[in-house]
Amino acid sequence: MARTGDGIRGWTWGGAAGLVILGAGLAGCSAQSPAILAPVSPKGRAEAELFWFILAITAFVFVVVEALLLYAVIRFRARDPRAIPPQIHGNRALEVSWTTVTALGLAVIFAMTWRTMAATSTPPAGAIPVKVIGHQWWWEFQYPTLGITTANELVIPVGRPIRLTVTAADVIHSFWVPQLGGKMDAIPGRENLLWLQADVEGIYYGQCAELCGVSHANMRLRVRVVSDSEFQRWVEAQRAPAVQPGTPLAQQGYQVFMSKACVGCHTIDGTPAQGKVGPNLTHVGSRTTIAAGLLENTPENLARWLDNPPAIKPGSLMPRLGLTPEEIQALVAYLSSLK
Ligand code: CUA
């Protein structure tokens, strides 16, 4: 049997290693990892500050408890293995003090959490409303006041608050863009409120944060934060009806789209395609990614996706349609032209 000292040492090292791994995970190891501790929004900063505050308190508790434990293990270790140690039943002073100190610590954490929640829960006046709908396995974004419906890439102007109404079409999902702060469950039949605001232009990665089926991990999203003028241009472009196919190949792709199952699930404004099950494709060519952020939006990737969606996103509700290579090339030409 291992001696108690070995167990304690192993536990201490395990705890330290766990903290390091946790820290690395939270800081974000790659450019695409959502990073909680690199906030770019007022709300994200408030949450990160709260996190550091609570981490400091709990780290302090960890060190004190470990130190007392090691002291007790070494100072009171059995010197004669055959002797029975003195039998002790309770110590009122110790019990009262560690209960009081723990309760006080928790009260401080509670108060700080309350303060942060109160300061960040209500969206500022004048926020742009966006409806967020989680689907297996992609995100729908509707801008009701702007008349725009898009998917997987939320485009917002820098420095402006956005008021998100979060819901779901099928099962429970969770909308989460760590650098912009906050996480909100997307529940069918319910509308949850979340707001965010980005102070710096750029792309911020998000991820569905509630296990929602086989491709939960593939349910990514991006928030593209742009200048006010770029946002206005984007809005104008998104509000326009879909462009007409401009080349013979794109024209052929249009015919394929309208004659196949595509129309049952997808909408392309200004065409007979009015399906509401899958992402709106009216301006799919203007998005930087396809398949809920899994692939860069390039002709090669689009062709791969059209050929066999479940091979890229397991469980994908878009089935393998058995398209011929010619049909795929035509569809790629058409869909890519939908800027
Ligand atoms: Cu949607 Cu996990």
Side-chain angles (χ1 to χ4, degrees):
M1 205 180 130
R3 293 184 48 208
T4 320
D6 294 339
I8 298 296
R9 217 172 296 133
W11 192 60
T12 309
W13 283 116
L19 280 180
V20 169
I21 292 168
L22 178 72
L26 291 174
C29 300
S30 79
Q32 291 212 6
S33 293
I36 307 172
L37 299 179
V40 293
S41 70
K43 200 175 164 189
R45 267 194 299 281
E47 289 167 356
E49 276 164 20
L50 179 65
F51 171 84
W52 285 118
F53 177 75
I54 293 176
L55 186 71
I57 289 186
T58 48
F60 176 72
V61 170
F62 177 78
V63 169
V64 168
V65 169
E66 286 290 300
L68 289 173
L69 196 60
L70 286 174
Y71 170 77
V73 164
I74 293 163
R75 171 76 177 74
F76 300 107
R77 69 187 185 279
R79 289 184 172 77
D80 175 2
R82 282 157 307 177
I84 295 176
Q87 304 299 298
I88 298 164
H89 299 282
N91 182 321
R92 180 161 300 167
L94 266 182
E95 285 163 18
V96 167
S97 60
W98 72 49
T99 306
T100 312
V101 169
T102 306
L104 281 176
L106 286 174
V108 169
I109 289 176
F110 174 77
M112 294 302 286
T113 306
W114 184 276
R115 208 183 69 149
T116 303
M117 286 170 71
T120 58
S121 61
T122 313
I128 300 171
V130 176
K131 186 169 182 180
V132 177
I133 306 169
H135 296 256
Q136 283 177 315
W137 287 276
W138 59 281
W139 295 96
E140 180 173 357
F141 300 118
Q142 298 174 354
Y143 299 65
T145 51
L146 302 173
I148 293 170
T149 299
T150 184
N152 300 321
E153 291 178 17
L154 179 65
V155 179
I156 62 172
V158 69
R160 293 274 303 275
I162 314 294
R163 182 185 195 279
L164 303 174
T165 313
V166 183
T167 186
D170 35 41
V171 300
I172 299 177
H173 304 271
S174 184
F175 177 90
W176 190 38
V177 185
Q179 284 182 278
L180 303 185
K183 178 199 283 180
M184 185 52 73
D185 276 357
I187 301 172
R190 235 193 101 93
E191 292 198 331
N192 288 334
L193 183 66
L194 179 72
W195 71 277
L196 50 81
Q197 174 183 323
D199 294 336
V200 183
E201 288 175 36
I203 289 185
Y204 302 100
Y205 295 94
Q207 167 71 52
C208 177
E210 180 78 44
L211 181 63
C212 56
V214 62
S215 264
H216 156 66
N218 295 326
M219 191 168 164
R220 304 181 195 165
L221 71 126
R222 275 146 216 254
V223 178
R224 237 170 74 206
V225 181
V226 299
S227 67
D228 247 325
S229 54
E230 197 180 338
F231 182 69
Q232 287 313 322
R233 279 199 299 280
W234 179 82
V235 168
E236 291 309 316
Q238 296 291 311
R239 292 173 77 156
V243 295
Q244 298 295 318
T247 65
L249 191 59
Q251 176 63 35
Q252 197 190 326
Y254 174 89
Q255 296 298 344
V256 173
F257 195 96
M258 298 306 156
S259 62
K260 296 272 179 188
C262 319
V263 290
C265 294
H266 295 285
T267 290
I268 297 179
D269 282 343
T271 77
Q274 295 295 322
K276 303 287 183 210
V277 178
N280 184 308
L281 300 179
T282 308
H283 297 287
V284 66
S286 71
R287 303 207 269 265
T288 60
T289 60
I290 54 171
L294 284 183
L295 301 175
E296 294 296 316
N297 190 1
T298 64
E300 298 74 33
N301 284 337
L302 191 50
R304 272 175 63 204
W305 172 255
L306 290 167
D307 179 46
N308 191 352
I312 290 163
K313 195 199 282 181
S316 159
L317 297 195
M318 175 163 161
R320 193 172 186 180
L321 292 163
L323 300 163
T324 66
E326 293 71 35
E327 288 171 333
I328 289 175
Q329 285 318 311
L331 277 172
V332 167
Y334 175 52
L335 294 173
S336 304
S337 76
L338 297 177
K339 299 284 183 193

